[in-house]
Every structure is written in C-alpha cells, then in structure tokens.
Amino acid sequence: MLLRLSFIVTTIIFWHLCSYATLAESKQPEQLDKFLPGPLEITTPDPLIRGSLEKQPLTLEEQQKLETALDGLNQEAATALQGGDKVTAFDIWNRELRLRRFLGSLAEVEALSRVGAIAWQENERQQIKYITERLQVIEKQMLTQKSTDLELWRSLGEAYQNIRVPKLAVGAYQQILTLVRSQNNTTAELETLNTIGELHLSWFNYPQAATTYQELLNLANRQGDRLNEVRYLQQLVYIYKQTKQPQQAITALNQLAEIYTSENNLTQIPALKIAIAENYQSLTPENPNLLQEAFNKYQEAYVTAWQLQQYVTASEALQKLITLYRSQNQIDDALQTSQILVETETLATNFYGLMQAYDQIGQLHLEKKEDAKALAAFQKGLELAQQLKYQETYFTQKIDTLLKSNS
C-alpha cells in the first residue's frame, strides 16, 4: 500500500514538473523577462560596496572612493559606446546607476538624467523605460517625505526632460513652483512658470499652456515688464490660433497693439490689425454683425501700412479686403480696392503681385459683363507675364476667348 501511494505521489510531482516545463517553453522570452527585476533593481552584491552597510553606513572616505570608481565606470561605458558596443556600454552604465544610489538621491538622479539623455539619443527605449521607472520611485519617496529639496526637485525635472517625458516633468516643476512661492522667490517663480509653459507646449497641452502664460502675463503686468508682456501675449496669440479661439486671440492682439502704440512702435501695428481682422472674419458665421469689424480692421491695416511705407503689408491687407468684398458679392467695392492694389504693388515693385492684381480686375469685370474692361486688364497682365516668363499661356487664352466671343 505504501509503495502504491509513493508511486502515485511521484507520478503527480512528475506531471506538475512536465506541465511547468511545457508552460515555460510556450512563453516568449519577453513574457518571462517581465517577471525579472530590471537592471536598475538588481540587488546582487557588488565588489565596489562592502557588506554590513546597515550596521555601518559608508564613511566619507568610502564615498569619495566609490564616486571615483563610478566616474571610471561612466568613462568605460562611454568608451564602449564610442566603439559601437551599445550592449556593453549600457550594462556598465546600469551598474553605475545601481551604485550611485549609495551616494544619495541627488547623485543618483543626476546620473539617471545623464544616462537617460544618452539613451534618448541612441533610441534605447527599454533603457529609457528602466530610467523612467526608477525616477518615479524616487519621486514617490520625495512626495511621501514631503521633500523641500529644491536642488533635487530641479534635477528630477531636468531628468524627465532629458528622457522626453514632459507630463512627468511638469509634475516635478509644479512641486518646485509651490516651494519657490512659499519662499516669495519671484525670480524663481518666473523661471519655473516659463519652464512649465514650454513643457505644456511641447506636448500640445494648449489649455494648460494658456493658463500658465496668462499667469506669467499677470506677473509681468504687475511688475511693469513690457518686454515680457509682449512675449507672453505673443505666446497666447499662438495658442489661441492653434486652439481656434478667435475671441481670445482678438483680446490678446488688442493688448499687444495697445503696448506697441503706447511705445510709439507703430511698425508692428499693420500686421496686428490684419490678424485681428482675420479673427473677426472667422467669427462672422456665428455672428454676422462682426463682419463690419473685419472690414474696418483690414482698412485700418492698409492705411497704417501705407503711411509707414510698408507696401507689402498694405498689399496683403488690400488683397484680404478684396476677398472679403467678393465673398459678400460687393463687386464694385472689390474693383475699387483692386485699383488701389495696383498702385500699391507698383510702389512695392512687386511685378508678380501686380500681374495677379490685373488678373483679379479682369475676373471682376467679367462678373459684371464688362468684356472690354476685362480685356484691357488681361492684356496688362499678359505684358507682365511676358516679362516674368510666367503664366503667359493663361493670359493669352483669356484674351483669345474674349476676342472670339466679341467677334
């Protein structure tokens, strides 16, 4: 009976062993690897670290010796990478990173940041994953301990930036922002907010970027810092353009115009008025009453540009005005504005623009069934086309069609 029972037990054990072996064989290597500790979590004793650290931490002399040894490992890894042996290089760096933690969190984070930047350059995604996970462990510890170590938080934020994880970097810089505000350190607050704003933009988080740059604008406004007011308003205009928020863009553009006008810097005004007009125009489907505002701003842009002898900008404003007139079927106004455009393009010596203006005049006369005037405009356009050696066939065909239809 005992022999029979022993046989049954042996059979069951054998069956379990076979089943385990079959299961292991069926798993892919990467499935097995995920159960293994990452290279930065290996706890195998290292000859550079003596045992019994729990009883006696590293002395200052031991720390200095370890730092020197780790600097040597870093150089050894860099040499291996330069020689084309990436595997060996990152194996050495991972050993260095495991040991850096014995020198404190700051030393470890700085090393993770350095190696992370190299891993990014070398497109070593798995290595970046290991470093990201380790940085997150350190951050969690810092949050648990309510760390107020600004240098360590800044190093952590920089490390996240080096491995291109802006969302995590923002979290670190938000902690920095809280700390510097508690210290009433306005300079550091501005620097940190700027970094946060840039990070939000880097991963297209426009709503948060807008909030950050509005904070910066308010600070600059309180300090009377006109240079940075302009800079932050320009960023806000860009953000509102990307997020298709024309009303907010108009507000920011008007603020910019006020600053430039107060400083008698009128050269920027025509382009700003064109941008304001474009935003008003984009709002007209929802609010047709704003169409007149668009007309007014284009006209103001043209007048100001003409006064400043900015003929290229004046031409741009006129062209947009003509397009708007045509969209409203105001052909006579479009024709009148096109004649002004001819004068402006002539002063700007923009022969290509002048050729296009005559083409436009011809098209407008055709809409009014004024074939003779259209023919005259297309003939002037052909003269310019022949000088430019461009679109000659187009104008010739236009002229031929008119001559045939009136013969």
Side-chain angles (χ1 to χ4, degrees), residues 236-254 256 271-287 290-291 293-295 297-298 320 324:
L236 284 168
V237 169
Y238 168 77
I239 291 165
Y240 294 140
K241 182 178 180 181
Q242 298 303 311
T243 53
K244 295 180 172 54
Q245 294 179 275
Q247 191 59 64
Q248 288 85 339
I250 289 168
T251 301
L253 287 162
N254 276 324
L256 274 172
L272 286 177
K273 287 186 180 293
I274 288 174
I276 292 169
E278 288 172 333
N279 281 287
Y280 274 126
Q281 192 174 343
S282 70
L283 285 168
T284 53
E286 300 171 10
N287 188 351
L290 293 175
L291 186 63
E293 290 289 347
F295 276 122
K297 291 300 176 183
Y298 282 132
K320 290 180 179 295
L324 191 53

Side-chain angles (χ1 to χ4, degrees), residues 25 36 46 58 87 96 98 166 191 213 291 344 346 366:
E25 287 173 7
L36 299 174
D46 191 288
L58 291 176
V87 174
E96 180 212 343
R98 288 195 299 271
E191 289 175 358
Y213 282 109
L291 186 63
T344 309
T346 302
L366 283 177

